[in-house]
Amino acid sequence: TIGPYNYGGKLRHPFTAHPKIDPLTGEMMFFGYSPLAPLLQYNVVSPSGELSNTTGVRLQKPVMMHDFAVTEHYSIFMDLPVTFDLRRQARGEPMLAYEPGRGSRFGVLPRHGRAKEIRWFDSPGCFIFHTLNAYEEGDDIVLMACRLSEFPDSIKFPPPKNSSDDPFDVPTALYRWRFNMQSGETREEALDDLAVDFPRINDKLLGRATRFGYALDLQMGGLVKYDFTKATSASHPHGLGRKGGEPVFVSRPDPKAEDDGWLVSFVYDEAEEKSELVIVDAQDFTSTPVARVKIPARVPFGFHGTWLTADQLASQRGSV
């Protein structure tokens, strides 16, 4: 990268890891959270790169908010019961703790709205690291995300040095929430009982309803493909002693269907202590990979990735 960027000095708060870019409008939405007020700041960036909307949202208590979601007209924030408490830290207790009795709240805010326009929907206590997608369906705002029913005390941020604990060895599964904008009702349902996370879709449909979703199988280290129309799933194992990372969907240049493309991810072979870039045909998901690019050293597990075409890279260079 060229260096830090703060939108001409307009960005004065944290920028989280999961901004969302609307594939149709070109707008980018992002947020930042803090243990100190204002606890949540939300922003919209115009297609030309101007910070066009900033609003602060007050929460009941400082919380960890790793991700959010957007639809065509709304942004969805997750006020979940993993809380920060400086007084708790002063007593020698963890500053970050899970308080499931507080329950969960999901805030739905018009994309260009102000804080006073947010609507909160209550749900049982849980935690969510990553959202798959969100979209509008009639009066419902639909959110799909990987839900943790527990938040083990062994998970600490940052993790202790030389810790052997796997921070993602937790019971997380794909869920769907429906927030009815007329009645205020919340409906929550499990879509699967498989432990998955790092969910992805075809990003050309971000914020719109999708038929397919992809995720990392946390137990086996392989990939999972969901067909939400048929309510089915398929698995792509990487093999014994081989664990993968987040699957990034890469569309064909002229796709004929939503899943017409490939899934790209790094896979680590524990026995050989080497990594590969593995490419799987998304429409022939259970077959062997179409390519395995061997790398002569280990690539450390990365949390996330993205795919940029040559045209996208060229346009970015031209705008600098």
Side-chain angles (χ1 to χ4, degrees), residues 172-174 192-197 217-220 224 226 233 235:
T172 176
L174 189 62
D192 195 5
D193 59 1
L194 189 66
V196 297
D197 210 320
D217 182 337
L218 294 179
Q219 293 179 328
M220 302 302 294
V224 180
Y226 290 99
S233 65
S235 295

Side-chain angles (χ1 to χ4, degrees), residues 30 35 68 95 115 123 139 154-155 170 172 194 200 222 232 247 275 287 289:
F30 70 94
F68 79 128
M95 182 177 68
S123 187
D139 292 333
S154 61
I155 297 183
V170 290
T172 176
L194 189 66
R200 294 296 295 261
T232 60
S275 296
S287 295

Side-chain angles (χ1 to χ4, degrees), residues 119-269:
R119 291 191 59 184
W120 291 103
F121 295 81
D122 296 326
S123 187
C126 69
F127 189 73
I128 296 167
F129 277 108
H130 303 118
T131 64
L132 172 74
N133 194 24
Y135 56 92
E136 300 161 28
E137 187 175 87
D139 292 333
D140 287 344
I141 303 296
V142 182
L143 170 67
M144 303 176 76
C146 295
R147 180 188 189 276
L148 285 81
S149 57
E150 303 174 19
F151 195 87
D153 292 337
S154 61
I155 297 183
K156 296 180 173 62
F157 296 93
K161 292 183 179 179
N162 303 319
S163 173
S164 61
D165 292 338
D166 182 351
F168 296 102
D169 184 19
V170 290
T172 176
L174 189 62
Y175 270 65
R176 178 166 54 208
W177 290 260
R178 291 182 178 273
F179 311 115
N180 189 280
M181 299 296 285
Q182 292 296 322
S183 67
E185 178 187 11
T186 301
R187 286 181 288 164
E188 173 186 291
E189 61 176 330
L191 298 179
D192 195 5
D193 59 1
L194 189 66
V196 297
D197 210 320
F198 303 102
R200 294 296 295 261
I201 60 167
N202 181 337
D203 287 336
K204 292 181 178 180
L205 295 172
L206 180 75
R208 282 77 180 173
T210 59
R211 175 176 175 177
F212 301 105
Y214 312 93
L216 175 65
D217 182 337
L218 294 179
Q219 293 179 328
M220 302 302 294
L223 303 179
V224 180
K225 177 182 180 180
Y226 290 99
D227 184 330
F228 301 118
T229 299
K230 295 182 177 180
T232 60
S233 65
S235 295
H236 180 95
H238 292 306
L240 186 64
R242 295 166 54 86
K243 294 184 178 180
E246 177 188 57
V248 176
F249 182 84
V250 180
S251 176
R252 292 183 187 274
D254 298 304
K256 302 298 188 293
E258 177 187 328
D259 62 344
D260 192 3
W262 304 270
L263 294 171
V264 179
S265 62
F266 286 113
V267 174
Y268 176 60
D269 189 305

